[in-house]
Amino acid sequence: MGRFNDARVRARLGRCLAVVLLLLAGLAAWGLQGLREQQARWTALSRAQQQEAGHVAAMRRAAQDLAGVARDGRWPAEPGAVSEWQGHLVAARTAYDAHEARLAYLLRQASPDAAHRAELLASLQPRKALADRLLARVVELGVARQPDEARQLMRTVAQPALAAWLDALTHLADRQEQAGLSAARQWRAERSRTRLQVLLMGLAVLGSGLAVALRLVRSAAPPAGDGAPEWPFHSSA
């Protein structure tokens, strides 16, 4: 019988092939599971960062709305208009506080790398409180028909406080955007690393399988000098 017609060699080669296929299937399943887990983590992180960005943007709009109302210096004269105007200011403050509370909750639930953004958010509190008090005084002077005093207070005291508040909000938004870009880069690197690991391990399994198969074939070859060599896949006459 030829070397490839030997029943024992064929059985061993079949078992070797089965083991290689099982290892490759397990490796593929492990790789796909790892990629799915990475995708799920990235989806959750991306959703949280989008929510953070939305709250920061809403806080900036509310702060700019408050600053714009007082900066215009046009205070209503009719009692009904004054009430509506003050209600608008209260709504802007309420919206700011609501988004600030939601953002603080998200940052507490986020990964440790959000600690710096949480510190930035906490640093906004005194600036926001100072600007809010000064704006309230400007509005009070405007409603009391003291526009010159209101404009003077706005220009000399309230305006710098508002600028510091808005600058801090801008800095928080920039840090949030940088965190999102950093997370995206990290996710892409992890995904590439996982794919490379699966590829290298697959090549290692294939190489090991080929080495074992060649060893089996050589072990079944007839010793040198026992006659003419036989071609693979053919029986001797």
Side-chain angles (χ1 to χ4, degrees):
M1 299 292 290
R3 69 180 69 169
F4 282 97
N5 286 328
D6 187 279
R8 289 178 300 175
V9 175
R10 291 200 304 271
R12 291 175 181 175
L13 287 175
R15 288 194 294 270
C16 179
L17 178 61
V19 170
V20 169
L21 291 177
L22 285 175
L23 288 175
L24 288 176
L27 185 60
W30 173 77
L32 289 175
Q33 180 63 25
L35 290 174
R36 279 196 292 265
E37 290 177 356
Q38 290 176 0
Q39 181 65 45
R41 289 196 299 270
W42 166 248
T43 301
L45 179 60
S46 178
R47 184 182 302 114
Q49 289 177 341
Q50 289 176 358
Q51 291 176 348
E52 289 181 23
H55 291 312
V56 173
M59 290 166 61
R60 291 178 67 185
R61 287 194 300 270
Q64 290 170 349
D65 197 10
L66 286 170
V69 168
R71 190 185 298 117
D72 289 341
R74 294 191 296 269
W75 293 277
E78 299 297 329
V82 170
S83 178
E84 182 180 355
W85 183 65
Q86 291 176 333
H88 179 73
L89 295 176
V90 171
R93 290 192 184 96
T94 302
Y96 182 94
D97 292 340
H99 287 288
E100 183 183 39
R102 293 169 189 166
L103 178 60
Y105 174 79
L106 287 175
L107 293 177
R108 286 195 301 269
Q109 302 300 317
S111 56
D113 61 354
H116 184 65
R117 299 200 300 280
E119 293 176 359
L120 287 176
L121 180 62
S123 69
L124 287 173
Q125 292 289 343
R127 300 183 183 186
K128 183 254 184 183
L130 175 61
D132 202 24
R133 288 196 302 270
L134 292 172
L135 283 175
R137 179 56 181 164
V138 170
V139 170
E140 181 181 347
L141 290 173
V143 173
R145 296 292 179 268
Q146 299 177 16
D148 294 336
E149 291 82 353
R151 294 188 184 94
Q152 178 70 15
L153 179 62
M154 184 68 190
R155 183 173 60 256
T156 59
V157 182
Q159 193 66 42
L162 283 169
W165 182 24
L166 292 174
D167 287 345
L169 279 169
T170 300
H171 184 51
L172 177 61
D174 292 341
R175 290 305 300 260
Q176 194 279 329
E177 182 179 0
Q178 293 173 8
L181 294 175
S182 176
R185 288 193 297 268
Q186 182 179 359
W187 172 70
R188 285 193 293 268
E190 290 180 357
R191 184 179 58 178
S192 300
R193 185 164 52 249
T194 299
R195 289 177 174 175
L196 181 60
Q197 288 175 349
V198 172
L199 177 61
L200 292 178
M201 293 175 69
L203 292 175
V205 170
L206 286 175
S208 300
L210 286 175
V212 172
L214 288 174
R215 185 178 182 84
L216 289 173
V217 170
R218 289 177 179 176
S219 66
D226 284 355
E230 298 174 355
W231 294 101
F233 303 105
H234 291 281
S235 301
S236 58

